[in-house]
Amino acid sequence: MSFTTVAIDLDGTLFTSQRDYDHARFTRMLDACEERDIRVVIASGRQYLSMRTMFDEPDRLAFVGDNGSTVVDRHHEVVHAAVLDDEVVATVISLIDDHPEIRSVASGPEGGWMAGEVPDRMRVLMNSAYENLKTVTSLHEIDGPVSKFALVTRDGQSERIAAELSQTLGGALVPVTTGHQGMDLIVPGRHKAWGLSFLLERWGRSFADLVALGDSGNDVEMLAAAGTSYAMGDAQQQAIHAAKFRAPSGEDSGVMMVMEELLGL
């Protein structure tokens, strides 16, 4: 099969439940892609600054972070960075204030902000997911541009809260699931496929020649747009419906298994 670009989600896709991956197999895959002039993109809801720290040789990779808002080519070359309007940010913060059961993080190109008294388990998780993460009394203390809000809800509450958020925000932002009772608020039309389009245009490549792998609601547009796409073995239903094929789970190194087969390794 011929393809020119690979886009890989992180949590639930490349990563195991321990938020790690097989570094040796990944490097071998990356070497094989470079020999064939195949570009590898890490596409995640995570913050770009944090994603870079997770790879042994990040300059060999391109990144689509914050669900498409931050697009960075290899060697840390920023291609596009979109931020939310101040009015939208203020509306979201007011809405979060009305829902103390929601744990929230705001992130942007320069860092992130986490508000209130946060359980130790969540604090460890968020510090591993965000670089330059500040703990503030209230998100009203944000002192930089915001690209995305990430929300963590209690078990069984995410659908209800997502519906309420959608109605209150009036379409200015839409919630997409990310797993682990989490959701991200993104601008309609600004998603991973949108972010990938900047890189594909820059490289003179197309979605038809893209292989994409993902597992969650925030991967749907990317999986649907790609000529070849895989939903992981334990993917959410909307990702399964959007993808052309299934892959083994992240726990079983499904990304590596698919890529090694495609590359003949």
Side-chain angles (χ1 to χ4, degrees):
M1 187 186 82
S2 176
F3 59 99
T4 65
T5 312
V6 180
I8 304 170
D9 172 51
L10 291 182
D11 296 286
T13 301
L14 178 63
F15 285 175
T16 66
S17 58
Q18 302 303 309
R19 294 181 178 81
D20 204 357
Y21 60 98
D22 190 320
H23 290 242
R25 289 175 76 181
F26 187 87
T27 298
R28 184 167 173 248
M29 180 271 291
L30 188 56
D31 289 342
C33 285
E34 288 186 344
E35 290 173 3
R36 297 162 171 80
D37 194 27
I38 297 169
R39 306 285 172 86
V40 179
V41 185
I42 304 301
S44 174
R46 285 177 177 257
Q47 173 199 43
Y48 165 65
L49 292 175
S50 174
M51 287 195 292
R52 277 187 60 87
T53 69
M54 299 169 182
F55 293 92
D56 301 320
E57 300 175 281
D59 282 351
R60 300 175 68 185
L61 301 165
F63 294 89
V64 171
D66 292 322
N67 287 323
S69 291
T70 307
V71 183
V72 183
D73 203 342
R74 296 168 302 171
H75 306 291
H76 194 62
E77 187 174 356
V78 178
V79 175
H80 187 81
V83 296
L84 301 177
D85 292 338
D86 291 344
E87 183 177 345
V88 172
V89 171
T91 299
V92 174
I93 292 173
S94 294
L95 190 57
I96 291 172
D97 285 343
D98 294 335
H99 289 82
E101 73 275 22
I102 298 176
R103 303 296 183 184
S104 57
V105 175
S107 63
E110 301 169 5
W113 301 266
M114 180 168 56
E117 295 184 7
V118 180
D120 290 342
R121 184 171 175 271
M122 181 178 175
R123 187 180 303 280
V124 170
L125 174 62
M126 291 305 172
N127 277 315
S128 71
Y130 295 90
E131 290 289 303
N132 301 334
L133 181 63
K134 301 177 183 177
T135 300
V136 293
T137 303
S138 164
L139 289 181
H140 292 281
E141 298 173 30
I142 288 174
D143 56 359
V146 175
S147 300
K148 186 198 76 175
F149 285 91
L151 311 179
V152 178
T153 63
R154 295 172 182 165
D155 291 350
Q157 297 294 309
S158 57
E159 289 188 11
R160 176 187 65 79
I161 291 174
E164 184 175 342
L165 290 172
S166 295
Q167 181 176 6
T168 304
L169 292 169
L173 295 176
V174 294
V176 294
T177 57
T178 61
H180 309 295
Q181 290 83 52
M183 70 181 79
D184 288 343
L185 299 180
I186 66 172
V187 176
R190 189 185 296 170
H191 40 62
K192 292 183 183 181
W194 182 79
L196 281 165
S197 69
F198 289 93
L199 292 171
L200 293 174
E201 181 178 0
R202 177 183 177 89
W203 297 336
R205 305 181 181 203
S206 71
F207 278 104
D209 300 317
L210 171 71
V211 173
L213 301 101
D215 76 305
S216 297
N218 64 344
D219 297 311
V220 165
E221 293 85 0
M222 175 177 78
L223 294 172
T228 305
S229 56
Y230 295 83
M232 309 309 290
D234 48 2
Q236 296 176 357
Q237 282 300 313
Q238 60 255 60
I240 293 171
H241 292 153
K244 281 75 171 176
F245 304 104
R246 296 296 299 278
S249 72
E251 293 299 315
D252 296 322
S253 295
V255 168
M256 294 296 96
M257 294 173 70
V258 167
M259 292 306 303
E260 287 164 356
E261 181 178 353
L262 294 178
L263 294 165
L265 299 179

